[in-house]
Amino acid sequence: MKTILVPTDFSPAADNAARYALNLARYMHADVKLCSAINEKAKTRITEQLVWPHDDYSSVKETTDQELRILAKRLSLEQSLKNEPASVAVFEPNLTYCCKAGSVMDAVRDLVTDEKITMVVMGLWGATGINSFFAGSVSQDMIDKASFPLLLMPGKAQFTSLRSIAFATDLSEEDIEVIHSLASLAREFNAEILIVHVMDGKHHNKEYQQKVSNFLSGISDKVDYPHIYYRDVKSTDVDKGLSWIVEHRQIQMIAMVHRKHDLLDRIFKESYTKNLAKHTEIPLLVFPYVGSSVVF
């Protein structure tokens, strides 16, 4: 059984990410697992950043387990109260939880290794607030070290059935394998994949057209999914180009591959939450550069 993992610090952003994950899991026929981490070395609980004496570590874990149990019951109750049409067969994900010692990254990496984790869904605050767990070093560390698909959730993003997923590409051949993986997710929703390349209009020449043609031919040969479309956007600024796509198309998710010193690095340097808020609270699905072959 596939499982979606949601690291949580019990903040509103984390709760929102868990709700999104549960809704996504219903379409993907996957279970959901909540995870909270306690920094054992510093005896520091992530949620409150307080220093705990060694003797109190067991009580911290007990408290964290209790909060996880309460959160899981609350989320399960919310799901059960949804009004679904009687004619619609809905898959109900199994919701579990665990508390792990160590850093968030270590906890997530261990669970991904030991269990069938398909995707990690992590909350981020929007422009109105910053949380030390979800913004800054933790989220950046997660992106840099992740060997799994990571879905980053703006604080106020709401789940809607995916109709269109924008995939930002630099036309690298490696992205074709990622699009193959993305197609397995899009297929669950019968959603279109809009391949977007933001480029400087000055370089729109025959050589560029041939590069696009080769890229699309590679997709046709390797990706068996009919709803894939291509759009190039002329802009000297990639952020503005993506913003234009979001504003002019009904996009429910943006996807991209994380490469060192690329767009994603620049977004975080400029404050990720502000940029994502600019992109109308749309979730961002990040694929690792290495090991991006995933079946959702």
Side-chain angles (χ1 to χ4, degrees), residues 177-224:
E177 187 63 38
V178 180
I179 294 169
H180 176 75
S181 297
L182 187 61
S184 65
L185 173 63
R187 191 175 285 110
E188 302 290 351
F189 297 86
N190 198 33
E192 71 169 21
I193 298 175
L194 180 62
I195 300 171
V196 180
H197 181 236
V198 181
M199 49 85 68
D200 189 335
K202 295 179 181 179
H203 298 95
H204 198 279
N205 49 32
K206 289 184 178 180
E207 183 179 350
Y208 170 76
Q209 291 292 348
Q210 186 60 51
K211 185 175 182 179
V212 172
S213 178
N214 293 341
F215 185 76
L216 296 179
S217 293
I219 292 174
S220 297
D221 292 341
K222 297 180 180 180
V223 183
D224 183 21

Side-chain angles (χ1 to χ4, degrees), residues 52-78:
W52 296 83
H54 180 74
D55 294 341
D56 288 347
Y57 178 73
S58 59
S59 65
V60 177
K61 186 180 185 306
E62 183 179 347
T63 300
T64 303
D65 284 333
Q66 183 178 6
E67 290 195 43
L68 283 166
R69 185 164 54 252
I70 292 171
L71 175 60
K73 286 184 178 180
R74 175 158 51 86
L75 292 171
S76 296
L77 179 60
E78 289 177 6

Side-chain angles (χ1 to χ4, degrees), residues 17-286:
R19 291 187 187 95
Y20 191 99
L22 278 168
N23 282 294
L24 193 63
R26 299 173 95 189
Y27 285 85
M28 294 173 60
H29 286 218
D31 291 332
V32 175
K33 187 162 197 168
L34 306 173
C35 173
S36 186
I38 300 174
N39 192 326
E40 190 175 18
K41 291 181 180 179
K43 304 297 178 293
T44 303
R45 178 153 173 218
I46 291 170
T47 51
E48 299 175 5
Q49 296 297 305
L50 297 176
V51 177
W52 296 83
H54 180 74
D55 294 341
D56 288 347
Y57 178 73
S58 59
S59 65
V60 177
K61 186 180 185 306
E62 183 179 347
T63 300
T64 303
D65 284 333
Q66 183 178 6
E67 290 195 43
L68 283 166
R69 185 164 54 252
I70 292 171
L71 175 60
K73 286 184 178 180
R74 175 158 51 86
L75 292 171
S76 296
L77 179 60
E78 289 177 6
Q79 289 293 310
S80 67
L81 293 177
K82 284 178 176 277
N83 293 321
E84 301 289 350
S87 59
V88 176
V90 177
F91 175 80
E92 293 298 341
N94 183 33
L95 179 59
T96 58
Y97 57 86
C98 68
C99 178
K100 304 280 284 185
S103 69
V104 181
M105 185 67 234
D106 288 342
V108 170
R109 189 158 43 197
D110 288 348
L111 287 166
V112 169
T113 301
D114 297 340
E115 304 184 21
K116 293 182 178 179
I117 302 298
T118 304
M119 176 194 300
V120 175
V121 179
M122 192 170 84
L124 288 163
W125 282 101
T128 57
I130 298 294
N131 181 288
S132 59
F133 173 51
F134 290 114
S137 60
V138 173
S139 51
Q140 183 66 69
D141 188 52
M142 189 77 73
I143 288 174
D144 286 341
K145 298 178 181 178
S147 58
F148 43 81
L150 175 63
L151 184 61
L152 301 171
M153 294 295 305
K156 296 182 180 179
Q158 298 296 314
F159 179 85
T160 58
S161 179
L162 300 179
R163 299 182 300 278
S164 184
I165 304 171
F167 179 76
T169 181
D170 61 359
L171 303 178
S172 298
E173 186 176 347
E174 295 89 347
D175 282 0
I176 295 175
E177 187 63 38
V178 180
I179 294 169
H180 176 75
S181 297
L182 187 61
S184 65
L185 173 63
R187 191 175 285 110
E188 302 290 351
F189 297 86
N190 198 33
E192 71 169 21
I193 298 175
L194 180 62
I195 300 171
V196 180
H197 181 236
V198 181
M199 49 85 68
D200 189 335
K202 295 179 181 179
H203 298 95
H204 198 279
N205 49 32
K206 289 184 178 180
E207 183 179 350
Y208 170 76
Q209 291 292 348
Q210 186 60 51
K211 185 175 182 179
V212 172
S213 178
N214 293 341
F215 185 76
L216 296 179
S217 293
I219 292 174
S220 297
D221 292 341
K222 297 180 180 180
V223 183
D224 183 21
Y225 189 65
H227 308 305
I228 300 178
Y229 309 94
Y230 176 80
R231 176 67 187 264
D232 56 28
V233 178
K234 297 179 179 64
S235 176
T236 57
D237 186 288
V238 178
D239 298 341
K240 290 181 180 178
L242 289 177
S243 293
W244 187 91
I245 282 291
V246 168
E247 291 169 4
H248 291 81
R249 296 290 295 261
Q250 290 187 341
I251 304 294
Q252 287 78 47
M253 183 180 291
I254 299 175
M256 63 177 64
V257 177
H258 176 44
R259 296 179 175 88
K260 298 296 183 182
H261 311 299
D262 67 354
L263 167 64
L264 212 54
D265 279 341
R266 189 164 71 252
I267 285 177
F268 266 84
K269 287 177 182 177
E270 295 174 357
S271 173
Y272 173 78
T273 52
K274 291 181 181 178
N275 278 271
L276 205 56
K278 181 178 66 177
H279 288 164
T280 64
E281 300 294 343
I282 294 179
L284 175 63
L285 178 58
V286 182

